[in-house]
Amino acid sequence: QYDDPSKISTRSGSTLPLASLNTAPNDGKQTLAQHDSGQITLLGTTGFNKKHTIYVDGDLNIDGNIQYSAFANPKDAPALAVIVRGNIYINKNVSVLDGMYVAQKKADGTGGTIYTCSDGFDEYDTNNPAADAALLANCSSQLVINGAFVANYVRFLRTINSLRDSKINSQELAGITKAAEVFNFTPEIYLSPPPFNKENFSGSGRYKSFETLPPIL
């Protein structure tokens, strides 16, 4: 179903180290990850500097930070997209995620949710006092997303800080925000979009921008 089968590889293990895709042969390509258990763990890495899309057939647990490397030229901007048919569970130890993360429903209608704090594939429930205590104890850290989430539902489970910690009568500064989850929609998504399945795609792949200035009198 892909426009160029040579650009997609299949991984069948229950663990997928992102560092293994941060190599020249994987630049501009796609990976389909699937396992009989229906659960795959993505091990994060820092210094990611390639353009890659990961498709996951099943639930995904993200274990470890995922961070782009710095770049000087826009054409060298890294790009990572993780597209899951199921749920995405972000481990409690994760503090930074760069890239775009998509959770879609499965054929049976389940899935399609991103949990911002989990213990493996187990999200923290809040239906009883003991579970509440576990949530507060394990999810009291900030999560910064430099990119975007796309999902049917996002469960924001980080518990650090409170409204009383924010600045009074003014907007928070980006460097000192007290939010439990922070989203920075970074320009890499436009400068260097990750490779996708181009089936039935007839466009040029280029973005058009229009700028309008006020009249000078």
Side-chain angles (χ1 to χ4, degrees), residues 115 117-119 122-136 139 155 157 159:
Y115 298 91
C117 189
S118 73
D119 184 9
D122 295 322
E123 74 276 11
Y124 288 99
D125 201 350
T126 57
N127 292 327
N128 59 72
D132 289 344
L135 180 71
L136 290 170
C139 299
R155 291 286 304 278
L157 298 175
T159 58

Side-chain angles (χ1 to χ4, degrees), residues 81-156:
V82 180
I83 301 175
V84 175
R85 184 162 59 184
N87 293 323
I88 296 178
Y89 300 86
I90 301 170
N91 227 37
K92 57 190 178 184
N93 66 317
V94 177
S95 60
V96 179
L97 289 178
D98 292 353
M100 182 173 70
Y101 300 85
V102 181
Q104 304 177 76
K105 287 190 175 183
K106 303 176 185 178
D108 62 4
T110 62
T113 299
I114 297 177
Y115 298 91
T116 65
C117 189
S118 73
D119 184 9
F121 291 93
D122 295 322
E123 74 276 11
Y124 288 99
D125 201 350
T126 57
N127 292 327
N128 59 72
D132 289 344
L135 180 71
L136 290 170
N138 291 285
C139 299
S140 183
S141 61
Q142 188 179 73
L143 175 64
V144 178
I145 299 95
N146 297 311
F149 281 177
V150 181
N152 288 80
Y153 302 98
V154 178
R155 291 286 304 278
F156 295 104

Side-chain angles (χ1 to χ4, degrees), residues 162-178:
S162 172
L163 284 175
R164 64 176 176 267
D165 299 316
S166 62
K167 296 185 67 176
I168 300 175
N169 298 326
S170 63
Q171 294 182 344
E172 287 188 325
L173 300 177
I176 59 171
T177 178
K178 297 297 183 178

Side-chain angles (χ1 to χ4, degrees), residues 162-216:
S162 172
L163 284 175
R164 64 176 176 267
D165 299 316
S166 62
K167 296 185 67 176
I168 300 175
N169 298 326
S170 63
Q171 294 182 344
E172 287 188 325
L173 300 177
I176 59 171
T177 178
K178 297 297 183 178
E181 286 97 352
V182 179
F183 285 86
N184 300 312
F185 193 72
T186 53
E188 287 91 345
I189 291 179
Y190 293 113
L191 293 174
S192 179
F196 291 109
N197 173 11
K198 296 181 180 178
E199 184 181 12
N200 299 324
F201 177 75
S202 59
S204 65
R206 297 181 178 180
Y207 289 98
K208 291 183 178 180
S209 63
F210 300 90
E211 183 176 293
T212 302
L213 298 176
I216 300 176

